[in-house]
Amino acid sequence: MLLPFVVAASAVISFVLIMGRAYHVVILLVIAAGWSQAPLITLTRSDAFQYLDDVPAAVLVAAAVIRAFSSQDKRLHKALGLMLLLVILVGIGFIRSPDADIGIAQARQVLMPLGLVFAGFVYRDDIKWRKVSTYLLLLTALTVAWALAEEVMQAPLLDPAWYHVNVVGGNPRSMRMGLPPAYFADGVSNGELAFRPGGPFMNPPVMGFLLGLGAFAAVARLRSFARLGMLAAIGLTLFFAYARAGILLFLVVTVIYFIWTRIGKYAGILVGAGLGGYLLATFMEQGNTASHSDGLFSGFMLGLQSPGGLGFGTTGYQAALEGASTGVGSESLLGLYFAWIGWPMIAAALLLLIHLGKLLRRVPRTQSLPVWLAVGFLLTVASSESASSMASTPVLWLTVGSVVAMAVPLKPEARPVPAAMGSRFPSRPPLPRSTSRR
């Protein structure tokens, strides 16, 4: 009886907030729902709360579709056309799935994240990003405190075993010392297992996305010692959690961004390439990181060989749980997209890379922080299937949508960029939308 109430209440609250144009509060609801989801499920032993994060995100996407359909903006009409094309491709992928449950789960892995990219594009000028960053800083601080307490205890504050088995669908035989395998890292401490705190998300990799996003908010909003203190706490937590995706996001929005803005673009590119090579060489020797890079490459090759993709149920975590996975494209969400959908997804990824490259060349360096976040997040999407988790990534997908909406200046650093999110989360673009040019 709790499930209908949770879903209905979350949907109604989200709808009322959208009608009042309080988009930033809807996003707060999305973030808070993801943050509290696993603890609520664990404490109540009710899987009704597993929909707590999906519902407000889905309502926001649906509202964006209605907004784009009723708008006079031709760019929104084009974006809506692409979104409808995606729905058709996902529908074809679902029909080809050998199992309906897997098909639904993997359709959600495509529609929810990319739907939020669409919502970020549509609402780029309407979201009060500065307030969103405040919410992120608050929840990041709470997450850091929770995870560091677990690190001191060398044990989770809430036992994640029931959640891992009964909600996630994990295999009880894969548990290590009574905990899900993600709570331990191999090969980082003289060959011994190292404990990884998972915080409220009860999963260190998923927690890493929020912490990386929190670092972005700290760079955008905080100054002086407050910024340094927050970044130090986030970096320490990421180190203990060994959250690869979070570490990557953290380094992109701090080290590479600061070099890019303070020293120069070429220095940023050089340091970024060197840092990326070092991290790749380091991570490749530890744990199962090799499966992440292999998943991207194999998924890309399979997508090239299959113009329409393989459809759902052929690979990925959900398929592996049912014993149906081929192993191709696993551990990489982008690799899975390539394998599932084929050429259309490869073309979309290439176009996004070209757009991000143009923005980095021409956007004023002090306004490039959101672009760097999008670059960092794209790298994590390429290396982690956890990027589809609505528990910690919705704001990242929304940010990518707002960056896609950025107009590329005609000349390098010639004028401000009309976009929904500058380096300090402006609530309105520097120029009216009518001046935007592609």
Side-chain angles (χ1 to χ4, degrees), residues 192-213:
E192 297 180 0
L193 291 179
F195 175 76
R196 305 168 64 189
F201 297 98
M202 297 191 180
N203 186 295
V206 172
M207 181 180 69
F209 284 102
L210 181 71
L211 294 179
L213 188 56

Side-chain angles (χ1 to χ4, degrees), residues 85-100 102-104 106-107 110 308-314 339-342:
L85 175 61
L86 175 66
V87 172
I88 293 173
L89 293 174
V90 169
I92 295 173
F94 174 76
I95 292 173
R96 298 168 66 186
S97 175
D99 183 272
I102 296 175
I104 292 173
Q106 295 188 336
V110 176
L310 293 178
F312 301 135
T314 55
W340 290 339
I341 299 178

